[in-house]
Amino acid sequence: MDIITFDKTNEQVRLGDISEAPPKGLDRNEAKKELEILGEELFDLQDLLWGARQNAVLIVLQGRDTAGKDGVIKHVAGFLNPRGVNVTSFGVPSEEEREHDFLWRIHRRAPRKGELSIFNRSHYEDVLVVRVHDLVPESLWKERYGHIRDFEELLVEHGTIVLKFFLHISREEQEKRLLEREQEPRKAWKINAGDWEDREHWDDYTVAYEEALSRTATKRAPWTIVPADSKWYRNLVVARTLVEALRPYRGDWQKRLDEVGVRKKADLAAWRKGR
Ligand code: ATP
């Protein structure tokens, strides 16, 4: 299974060339087993992240309506210890938020050291919905790609591991899911006319996404394209990407915890002696 990542700024992204379905031949039950194993490793890595307090993790989830942002939060974040996780959903900005620059509300929700934050939608809406629905002049949103790159670089400089996921769903699967939502009382609260209306802008969103992904992909804040028509594969790709990104830090975090352990032991010995 190959994970599709973009990490070069301005490299062309063509969503039409990327499948929304899982690779052929991948067994669903095997995938679920792998997800469980990854989940355990994720829990362990998060424990080290929390204790070492050297880094933070930011997960950005973007995707069209019904692409599964909530599902990823439920299934992948479900492996984590809630103590160190925070989830923020970014909806239509409030008046106060609109009176600030577009990154103001985002920056205050960025994770502190030790934490893992998940953004359900994010600053990317400010070059997506805002562009498609003409909410600000083009001259303004065009400037934002650079601001976003600089902002994410600032987070990385501070020790934040930034991972961005585009949940890639097909038009047909979206229709199926919207109809399902409409028909099932347990899901109907999630749907509104705007979701159907936005489908009419499908191609405009494609253009906006392709440019956003391309202009903001960097080595240190890459985009992963997640085929999202099958929920089990979607969850697997996100979990695996996350584990593979955090694994290289394991040694550092462990070392820091060992140092803290030695220091604490010495402090306690001194304290006992002084009693
Ligand atoms: P979701 O589809 O994310 O699960 P939802 O449809 O239930 O959520 P909310 O969470 O209330 O709705 O808000 C999401 C809506 O807010 C989306 O339509 C999104 O485009 C819009 N939105 C988010 N950020 C902005 C922004 N910066 N400017 C304008 N609209 C935004």
Side-chain angles (χ1 to χ4, degrees):
M1 135 190 180
D2 285 332
I3 293 182
I4 302 156
T5 304
F6 286 92
D7 64 1
K8 285 185 211 71
T9 311
N10 293 334
E11 188 185 350
Q12 194 159 46
V13 178
R14 281 190 204 281
L15 292 175
D17 293 346
I18 303 172
S19 171
E20 300 89 351
K24 287 203 173 55
L26 192 69
D27 181 71
R28 183 190 170 125
N29 290 325
E30 286 298 313
K32 284 192 168 168
K33 269 189 226 150
E34 191 190 336
L35 181 63
E36 285 305 312
I37 296 168
L38 286 168
E40 281 172 28
E41 188 173 351
L42 199 52
F43 180 84
D44 190 48
L45 285 164
Q46 185 212 1
D47 212 40
L48 295 173
L49 166 80
W50 175 260
R53 289 286 200 284
Q54 273 180 313
N55 297 94
V57 178
L58 174 63
I59 297 173
V60 171
L61 297 177
Q62 283 291 155
R64 303 176 197 262
D65 289 320
T66 77
K69 300 182 290 297
D70 285 327
V72 167
I73 293 167
K74 182 167 149 191
H75 293 282
V76 179
F79 290 118
L80 301 168
N81 183 338
R83 178 193 55 189
V85 179
N86 61 69
V87 177
T88 308
S89 297
F90 291 99
V92 178
S94 66
E95 194 181 337
E96 186 185 20
E97 288 169 345
R98 264 185 287 125
E99 287 174 355
H100 286 89
D101 66 85
F102 78 105
L103 290 170
W104 179 74
R105 66 173 183 162
I106 308 292
H107 204 169
R108 17 191 354 228
R109 305 299 301 169
R112 61 200 283 181
K113 298 236 165 112
E115 274 183 348
L116 183 151
S117 293
I118 304 178
F119 286 177
N120 178 358
R121 301 186 189 270
S122 63
H123 40 304
Y124 284 96
E125 294 295 323
D126 292 282
V127 288
L128 294 165
V129 65
V130 159
R131 170 179 181 170
V132 170
H133 290 283
D134 240 338
L135 303 181
V136 304
E138 178 169 348
S139 57
L140 220 112
W141 59 253
K142 280 230 144 154
E143 287 296 314
R144 290 181 173 168
Y145 300 121
H147 293 316
I148 290 175
R149 284 196 304 268
D150 291 345
F151 167 63
E152 291 176 354
E153 179 60 24
L154 173 68
L155 299 182
V156 171
E157 279 295 316
H158 185 66
T160 306
I161 300 160
V162 179
L163 298 165
K164 305 178 291 191
F165 295 94
F166 171 66
L167 307 185
H168 185 37
I169 191 180
S170 67
R171 209 170 179 150
E172 300 71 41
E173 181 64 22
Q174 188 194 53
E175 184 175 22
K176 206 174 109 205
R177 291 187 188 179
L178 286 174
L179 288 171
E180 235 170 63
R181 283 188 180 179
E182 218 173 294
Q183 279 145 23
E184 277 187 41
R186 286 265 314 245
K187 292 185 177 171
W189 63 271
K190 280 193 183 189
I191 192 166
N192 53 52
D195 296 339
W196 287 110
E197 267 165 29
D198 249 12
R199 258 177 83 74
E200 291 162 21
H201 297 284
W202 185 275
D203 295 335
D204 298 335
Y205 271 108
T206 303
V207 171
Y209 262 114
E210 287 179 340
E211 187 169 3
L213 298 173
S214 160
R215 301 288 301 273
T216 62
T218 65
K219 196 101 212 124
R220 306 220 288 175
W223 276 104
T224 300
I225 312 292
V226 184
D229 274 6
S230 288
K231 295 173 184 174
W232 57 269
Y233 187 63
R234 173 200 74 198
N235 295 340
L236 181 63
V237 170
V238 175
R240 194 194 268 194
T241 306
L242 197 49
V243 166
E244 284 176 0
L246 302 190
R247 237 181 230 154
Y249 293 86
R250 179 186 281 280
D252 276 358
W253 293 339
Q254 189 63 61
K255 197 165 147 234
R256 166 60 81 93
L257 287 173
D258 291 345
E259 284 162 10
V260 172
V262 168
R263 209 175 53 230
K264 282 263 157 102
K265 218 164 147 188
D267 287 352
L268 286 171
W271 171 75
R272 279 203 188 89
K273 227 168 139 186
R275 270 162 72 93

